[in-house]
Amino acid sequence: MKILLLGSGAREHALARSLASDPATSDLVVAPGNPGTAAIATNLNINPAAPGEVVELATRMGADLVVVGPEAPLVAGVADDVREAGIPVFGPGAKAARLESSKAFAKEVMRAAGVPTAEAAVCSTEAELAAALDRLGTPHVVKDDGLAAGKGVVVTSERAAARDHGLACLSREGGRVLVEHYLDGPEISLFCVCDGATVRPLAPAQDFKRLGDGGAGPNTGGMGAYSPLTWAPDDLTERVVREIAQPVVDEMARRGTAFIGLLYCGLALTSDGLRVVEFNVRFGDPETQAVLARLTSSLPDLLLAAASGRLADAPAPTWSEQAAVDVVLAAPGYPGTVAAGGAVTGVEEAEALPGVHVLHAGTGFDDDGRLVAAGGRVLSVVALADTVGSARDRAYEAVSRIHLDGGQYRTDIAAGR
Ligand code: GLY
């Protein structure tokens, strides 16, 4: 199978690793990729969010499958154009991608599908925003309706901060903002592979979104993750599929916008029961790095079955009994203005540890060919071991072998929920 994978983060390096190591894959091109994917596949530098460039490359290489990593190409309609060109693509069309690109749309679909989520008000004016903050109370949860590169959500007990964030969202052209009731309880990410009708869940994982230990500091794209969640209810996955993912996939099909791709269910296990925090329409980062480390069945076969509408006939994914812990190393300044260019050393030493692999995200090479930081999240350090505790110890032993001046990482990934 010839596969074109779009994206350049650690998520894509994890996807590339699972795709490239499978005997079903004969050829893997990553566009644009990163130094990690260059070591296991062919990187080609096109704009992954330009539908014409992607169709041209997929056609030229004779791709049997296109896998879309990030949300931007999906929102730009890349999957629509690739599908139109007759090439199977794992990723929803732009209309179905609205489940991620408009939080108000996602709420409307959830309401129609009877899916449990937080009460919310969609606000278009300052007066509506003020009324919603009063009505829904503290902590205030204020979300930009549109995509905001991980900076769209503010959770705060300070009304002024909630109002300021809401006003900043409203100030954008056509800006809308959601004010939601706060959901208590631990958060869980469950990825569901979908072919427009059938849903196949992957293993649940947990993401650590804030920069600092104990959930202190600003929100980030995610500072680490682990799987499995030994504390989660045994029937969690089955319930999420039955009560959330399948009704949403059915509702999208009913609307004529079939959901083909990865439905990322961001959930809270609240004192009132399971609630959806958000949907994304692509693999999550950094959860994918932990989840795929445990996958023992074929990823290319699974994604091609979904892209071809044959998921009902495909075997369910299988999982290692081992646990995976993924710790993100970020550059100084992240998630604000990042100081790039710092030398990154010790990756080989980290990978010399049993069960450890290191995934690249914001890395590059300087003029002397040395590995340097070139983005916010620089590396994901992944460790597999028999228990979550031993995987965690191993991951941190590996992180301690890597050096980046001013590099930031959390020390409590997988230490509790
Ligand atoms: N882990 C959060 C995200 O992928 O959006």
Side-chain angles (χ1 to χ4, degrees):
M1 193 187 312
K2 292 184 181 170
I3 303 174
L4 171 59
L5 168 64
L6 303 180
S8 62
R11 164 185 54 203
E12 284 75 25
H13 190 180
L15 285 162
R17 193 171 173 269
S18 294
L19 294 170
S21 63
D22 194 284
T25 303
S26 59
D27 196 7
L28 177 63
V29 172
V30 190
N34 64 36
T37 62
I40 55 173
T42 304
N43 281 0
L44 286 177
N45 193 16
I46 64 158
N47 176 0
E53 289 187 41
V54 175
V55 170
E56 197 275 325
L57 173 57
T59 306
R60 179 156 47 89
M61 68 176 272
D64 302 296
L65 174 66
V66 176
V67 179
V68 186
E71 62 276 18
L74 298 167
V75 172
V78 163
D80 299 287
D81 283 25
V82 173
R83 214 167 271 129
E84 180 75 13
I87 301 170
V89 53
F90 186 76
K95 287 187 178 148
R98 289 187 71 214
L99 282 174
E100 176 165 353
S101 65
S102 168
K103 296 196 185 309
F105 175 75
K107 287 282 181 193
E108 184 203 316
V109 171
M110 282 189 265
R111 199 167 41 245
V115 165
T117 185
E119 187 187 345
V122 182
C123 310
S124 305
T125 66
E126 188 174 346
E128 288 172 1
L129 171 66
L133 290 173
D134 287 342
R135 184 166 71 79
L136 291 158
T138 52
H140 300 294
V141 180
V142 184
K143 296 183 175 178
D144 199 330
D145 176 46
L147 291 181
K151 299 197 173 96
V153 182
V154 163
V155 180
T156 176
S157 295
E158 291 173 25
R159 191 186 160 95
R163 179 177 170 275
D164 288 351
H165 179 63
L167 291 178
C169 301
L170 289 178
S171 70
R172 283 191 269 286
E173 200 184 324
R176 288 194 301 179
V177 68
L178 269 73
V179 179
E180 290 195 9
H181 193 260
Y182 176 73
L183 295 175
D184 61 0
E187 291 194 7
I188 291 172
S189 304
L190 185 76
F191 300 161
C192 293
V193 173
C194 308
D195 70 355
T198 298
V199 173
R200 290 269 193 234
L202 302 185
Q206 191 175 47
D207 177 17
F208 290 69
K209 291 202 171 79
R210 300 263 181 175
L211 182 69
D213 285 355
N219 256 331
T220 69
M223 294 298 289
Y226 71 104
S227 173
L229 308 180
T230 47
W231 47 266
D234 287 344
D235 63 350
L236 174 86
T237 300
E238 186 195 319
R239 280 189 54 206
V240 175
V241 172
R242 192 178 62 238
E243 297 171 17
I244 295 167
Q246 190 68 58
V248 165
V249 167
D250 292 346
E251 174 63 18
M252 295 303 281
R254 193 189 66 74
R255 292 171 182 233
T257 50
F259 191 91
I260 300 166
L262 201 288
L263 182 65
Y264 166 141
C265 300
L267 309 156
L269 263 185
T270 76
S271 44
D272 296 328
L274 199 55
R275 298 281 184 277
V276 173
V277 177
E278 64 175 358
F279 289 127
N280 294 314
V281 298
R282 37 81 193 169
F283 283 94
D285 185 342
E287 299 96 312
T288 300
Q289 293 89 302
V291 169
L292 291 186
R294 300 185 53 233
L295 181 71
T296 51
S297 51
S298 169
L299 184 65
D301 285 349
L302 179 69
L303 302 188
L304 181 62
S308 316
R310 294 187 284 100
L311 207 48
D313 301 328
T318 55
W319 303 98
S320 163
E321 290 294 312
Q322 289 195 302
V325 173
D326 160 28
V327 178
V328 170
L329 175 67
Y334 180 77
T337 305
V338 167
V344 179
T345 57
V347 170
E348 274 180 30
E349 290 81 351
E351 291 196 311
L353 287 165
V356 171
H357 61 273
V358 177
L359 300 168
H360 290 241
T363 61
F365 294 109
D366 68 9
D367 292 343
D368 298 321
R370 289 179 311 187
L371 190 69
V372 294
R377 289 186 290 175
V378 177
L379 297 172
S380 274
V381 180
V382 185
L384 265 176
D386 287 344
T387 63
V388 171
S390 51
R392 174 179 143 68
D393 290 346
R394 223 172 241 189
Y396 279 110
E397 166 69 21
V399 169
S400 75
R401 295 183 177 197
I402 297 175
H403 183 77
L404 166 64
D405 264 355
Q408 313 179 74
Y409 62 89
R410 279 181 68 154
T411 65
D412 63 348
I413 303 300
R417 59 192 172 130

